[in-house]
């Protein structure tokens, strides 16, 4: 479904940021009570969910409403395009593809990043003959969804060793079943995303597995994905959009400075969802830069790959067309 800036009628502004008393009059006027619907990801949380749990939205008239779970980023973006939710979250290639396809979205802030501490790892059983990226050719790899971060990481890993991007077979397996399918040898490799560190931690703790490669090895330190808003929402509510992003970034910074306390909050959120809060001890954080800053490289890296593979016309998009930068980017 194609979304244009003229075709959307947003139901209400998103308000977040510094405390309402400190907002300018125009921003305070946007702090009317509103529910923001979103889809959660099993086994983890997003910075805006943490901000909500920490009370950062109190007094700003915002209420986050979890309306279910997304199997992956593409599903989240589809829900945003259809109007089922008010914000989406997806891997950068999926966001770029969605915008290139006509959806009038903006990458509001990085939801996660990958670095030496926060990364996606591709695991095999200890006795597996798979020792390197080259060995995954012809093998079956489990991922949470197709067309998103793990999918594109595998493609780029294969390309890095001179193999075609479809040399491995990808199968979709929900996060809670990843360990079971690997140990029962239904798949040769289990891909656990950076957002699934809780599941990865449990897998490693149970023993008998080893990592073959990770996404930081392949991609370097880079944003893993973005929280996405509609462009006309930002145009209509510039202060609300800015405050939402600032408060989410504030929560991400707090989690990096207070990792033990953050894990307790993650555990509480998981328990309230009916998930296993004990897994929160394996949570490794968001992997974001200070203030959740996004760079042009976070987007242009993937634009160049999509252009190289013929999935995106050359020079159709660049970082400035996609990234939301309050005070810098003009939202038309």
């Amino acid at each position: 479904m194609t979304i244009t800036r003229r075709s959307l009628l947003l139901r209400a502004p998103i308000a977040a940021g510094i405390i309402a008393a400190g907002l300018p009059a125009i921003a305070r006027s946007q702090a009317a009570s509103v529910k923001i619907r979103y889809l959660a990801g099993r086994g983890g949380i997003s910075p805006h969910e943490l901000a909500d749990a920490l009370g950062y939205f109190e007094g700003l008239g915002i209420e986050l409403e979890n309306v279910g779970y997304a199997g992956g980023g593409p599903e989240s973006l589809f829900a945003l395009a259809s109007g089922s939710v008010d914000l989406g979250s997806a891997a950068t290639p999926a966001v770029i593809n969605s915008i290139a396809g006509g959806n009038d979205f903006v990458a509001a802030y990085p939801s996660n990043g990958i670095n030496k501490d926060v990364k996606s790892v591709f695991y095999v059983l200890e006795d597996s003959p798979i020792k390197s990226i080259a060995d995954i050719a012809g093998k079956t790899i489990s991922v949470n969804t197709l067309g998103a971060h793990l999918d594109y990481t595998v493609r780029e890993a294969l390309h890095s060793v001179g193999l075609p991007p479809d040399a491995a077979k990808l199968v979709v397996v929900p996060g809670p079943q990843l360990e079971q399918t690997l140990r029962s040898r239904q798949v040769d490799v289990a891909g656990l995303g950076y957002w699934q560190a809780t599941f990865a931690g449990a897998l490693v703790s149970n023993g008998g597995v080893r990592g073959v490669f990770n996404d930081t090895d392949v991609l370097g330190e880079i944003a893993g994905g973005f929280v996405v808003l509609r462009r006309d929402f930002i145009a209509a509510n510039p202060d609300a959009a800015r405050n939402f992003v600032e408060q989410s970034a504030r929560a991400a910074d707090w989690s990096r400075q207070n990792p033990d306390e953050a894990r307790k909050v993650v555990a509480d959120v998981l328990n309230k969802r009916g998930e296993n809060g004990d897994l929160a001890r394996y949570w490794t954080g968001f992997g974001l830069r200070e203030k959740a800053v996004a760079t042009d490289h976070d987007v242009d890296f993937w634009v160049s790959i999509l252009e190289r593979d013929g999935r995106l016309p050359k020079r159709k998009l660049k970082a400035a067309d996609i990234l939301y930068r309050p005070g810098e980017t003009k939202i038309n």
Side-chain angles (χ1 to χ4, degrees):
M1 176 179 181
T2 299
I3 302 298
T4 66
R5 58 179 66 100
R6 288 190 176 92
S7 68
L8 292 171
L9 290 175
L10 298 187
R11 298 184 179 183
I14 299 175
I18 57 177
I19 58 173
L23 294 172
I26 185 173
R28 286 201 304 273
S29 70
Q30 294 176 354
S33 180
V34 59
K35 282 187 177 181
I36 304 302
R37 300 161 301 160
Y38 70 96
L39 295 170
R42 294 188 186 277
I45 67 173
S46 297
H48 51 268
E49 292 178 275
L50 180 60
D52 188 49
L54 293 172
Y56 288 0
F57 296 136
E58 290 180 7
L60 295 171
I62 181 172
E63 180 185 351
L64 292 188
E65 182 183 7
N66 178 2
V67 295
Y69 289 95
E75 182 179 344
S76 175
L77 294 179
F78 180 81
L80 179 62
S82 70
S84 299
V85 297
D86 304 299
L87 63 87
S89 181
T92 312
V95 173
I96 295 170
N97 283 331
S98 182
I99 293 172
N103 289 311
D104 215 3
F105 298 159
V106 175
Y109 75 87
S111 54
N112 291 84
I114 58 173
N115 55 36
K116 64 182 180 61
D117 299 314
V118 181
K119 64 190 72 174
S120 307
V121 181
F122 293 82
Y123 291 98
V124 297
L125 295 177
E126 195 67 57
D127 61 358
S128 170
I130 299 172
K131 306 291 185 182
S132 68
I133 291 173
D135 294 334
I136 69 175
K139 301 300 191 294
T140 302
I141 303 174
S142 62
V143 296
N144 67 306
T145 190
L146 300 178
H149 184 77
L150 295 178
D151 186 339
Y152 279 97
T153 297
V154 172
R155 292 172 184 268
E156 193 59 17
L158 289 165
H159 175 81
S160 73
V161 295
L163 291 170
D166 59 353
K169 179 183 179 181
L170 303 185
V171 296
V172 175
V173 176
Q177 279 78 57
L178 286 167
E179 179 169 1
Q180 175 190 347
T181 54
L182 178 63
R183 293 194 186 280
S184 63
R185 303 180 187 271
Q186 296 177 60
V187 296
D188 302 300
V189 184
L192 284 95
Y194 52 79
W195 63 95
Q196 296 173 313
T198 52
F199 298 134
L203 172 67
V204 172
S205 179
N206 290 333
V209 299
R210 54 182 169 80
V212 176
F213 68 99
N214 63 68
D215 53 0
T216 307
D217 294 335
V218 176
L219 309 175
E221 296 194 4
I222 194 171
F226 284 86
V227 168
V228 180
L229 298 173
R230 296 182 179 98
R231 185 178 294 271
D232 64 345
F233 166 76
I234 296 176
N237 306 283
D239 293 292
R242 184 191 71 246
N243 295 330
F244 170 75
V245 170
E246 288 177 351
Q247 288 296 73
S248 299
R250 175 187 169 195
D253 285 346
W254 177 86
S255 71
R256 186 175 57 254
Q257 297 157 3
N258 304 277
D260 293 335
E261 292 87 345
R263 291 186 186 94
K264 293 177 183 177
V265 178
V266 173
D268 185 56
V269 170
L270 294 179
N271 283 329
K272 286 179 178 178
R273 287 186 194 162
E275 298 184 57
N276 183 3
D278 290 341
L279 293 177
R281 67 183 185 271
Y282 301 121
W283 188 70
T284 54
F286 296 115
L288 295 173
R289 306 177 186 97
E290 186 176 358
K291 297 183 180 179
V293 169
T295 68
D296 284 359
H297 174 71
D298 291 333
V299 172
D300 288 339
F301 172 85
W302 285 110
V303 167
S304 66
I305 289 175
L306 293 171
E307 289 178 345
R308 181 198 71 200
D309 293 345
R311 296 172 178 270
L312 181 69
K314 290 186 180 298
R315 293 178 292 281
K316 179 173 183 176
L317 289 173
K318 57 184 182 299
D321 302 321
I322 294 171
L323 293 176
Y324 167 59
R325 285 174 171 154
E328 297 180 20
T329 303
K330 183 178 180 181
I331 304 295
N332 296 316

